[in-house]
Amino acid sequence: MVSFSALFVSGLMATVALAAPHQAHQHLHAKRNATSAKKGAAYNEASLVAALTGVSWAYNWNMEPDGTLPPGVEYVPMLWGPKMYSGWSAAADSALSSGSKYLLGFNEPDVASQANMSPSQAASDYKQYMTPYAGNATLVSPAVSNSGSAGQGLDWMKSFLSECTDCQISALAVHWYADASLTDYFKQFVNQAIELANQNNIQEVWITEFQATGDDASQVQFLTEILPWLDSQAGVGRYSYFMCSNSVLLTAANVLSQIGQAYMSLF
């Protein structure tokens, strides 16, 4: 997980609202009451997820939910890295018995400040701690950054998958952080991840963290273009914007910020 930098957002689809404010409000309200099978919440405080009405799943980079999620929101536990190995078995068993259907692998093992694992170590540890659950859960790969440097990002993932051919992974996880203007880059990166997944007989890609940087209007515009695209991609299984917090998707009053409204309104 990358740094918790705050994003300050304002103004959602102002031109639409000015043209037909009443109709636009009804349209957005209806969509917020729908549920997206792909859309999720990345959180640190479980109580905040209730504001994101319409998400179907949530995770917190941890093995336990650390609170109560809203009804209908599936908790997906994560084996963050080696620091969690000792408690993983009990936590995974508990989550699965409580209704979880997926298990997430390591968090950015390609990044020194995160799980920091070589592809070989990650493959060996994945086989030991994750693969035994293949019969009871859908297994998600380690989540890599969008770095284009050698030994990071999808390059790291390629090496990992070459050593984890029998790991029974069903979803490939990636993260993306870049300027809000780079929508084409986002789509290219996701398509590259989908292609890599297909080459390894992995059914889908999860973008478990993504965040656009830039001013308020550019961030809303980014979501306006990207969310419909993600929902239209058969190769994308799930995604979650970074993050469900009072500095990004919510305001200090625990209600949707303007960017949060964009995230929840556009399916």
Side-chain angles (χ1 to χ4, degrees):
M1 177 175 59
V2 298
S3 65
F4 290 71
S5 56
L7 297 177
F8 300 97
V9 297
S10 64
L12 171 64
M13 302 174 67
T15 56
V16 174
L18 288 173
H22 181 67
Q23 291 91 333
H25 175 77
Q26 287 182 328
H27 175 71
L28 296 179
H29 181 73
K31 284 184 175 289
R32 278 200 296 271
N33 286 325
T35 297
S36 169
K38 295 185 179 184
K39 188 171 298 181
Y43 72 93
N44 278 329
E45 297 180 53
S47 62
L48 299 182
V49 178
L52 301 185
T53 55
V55 299
S56 63
W57 68 283
Y59 84 108
N60 60 342
W61 302 274
N62 208 335
M63 302 182 293
E64 299 174 343
D66 296 326
T68 302
L69 292 173
V73 177
E74 177 193 2
Y75 176 67
V76 181
M78 168 183 272
L79 178 55
W80 188 94
K83 68 181 183 180
M84 291 187 175
Y85 288 171
S86 62
W88 173 246
S89 179
D93 289 342
S94 176
L96 294 175
S97 66
S98 298
S100 296
K101 299 178 178 64
Y102 300 85
L103 298 177
L104 292 167
F106 313 126
N107 187 71
E108 294 186 0
D110 60 317
V111 177
S113 62
Q114 297 299 311
N116 190 27
M117 305 166 72
S118 69
S120 295
Q121 178 192 353
S124 176
D125 292 358
Y126 197 98
K127 292 174 187 177
Q128 179 177 352
Y129 294 101
M130 296 289 290
T131 302
Y133 288 98
N136 299 310
T138 298
L139 303 185
V140 185
S141 78
V144 295
S145 71
N146 58 304
S147 171
S149 300
Q152 291 187 308
L154 295 180
D155 186 59
W156 185 99
M157 183 67 78
K158 290 176 184 177
S159 298
F160 166 79
L161 292 175
S162 70
E163 300 192 44
C164 216
T165 55
D166 56 347
C167 288
Q168 301 187 57
I169 293 170
S170 296
L172 188 152
V174 296
H175 295 168
W176 186 90
Y177 290 84
D179 188 86
S181 65
L182 301 176
T183 52
D184 287 344
Y185 166 42
F186 179 89
K187 294 175 183 178
Q188 178 187 48
F189 176 72
V190 172
N191 280 329
Q192 289 173 341
I194 292 172
E195 181 180 2
L196 180 59
N198 289 337
Q199 291 170 354
N200 289 272
N201 297 314
I202 295 173
Q203 289 86 345
E204 60 188 25
V205 166
W206 288 22
I207 305 96
T208 51
E209 288 181 37
F210 71 106
Q211 185 186 74
T213 58
D215 63 25
D216 301 352
S218 64
Q219 293 179 50
V220 170
Q221 181 59 39
F222 173 84
L223 288 175
T224 301
E225 177 176 347
I226 289 303
L227 294 181
W229 183 81
L230 285 173
D231 285 330
S232 73
Q233 301 306 300
V236 173
R238 287 182 170 184
Y239 59 81
S240 57
Y241 198 74
F242 186 86
M243 63 179 288
C244 180
S245 69
N246 285 332
S247 60
V248 184
L249 295 178
L250 308 178
T251 69
N254 294 352
V255 298
L256 290 177
S257 66
Q258 294 300 313
I259 198 169
Q261 291 178 44
Y263 183 59
M264 296 316 305
S265 297
L266 299 168
F267 285 55

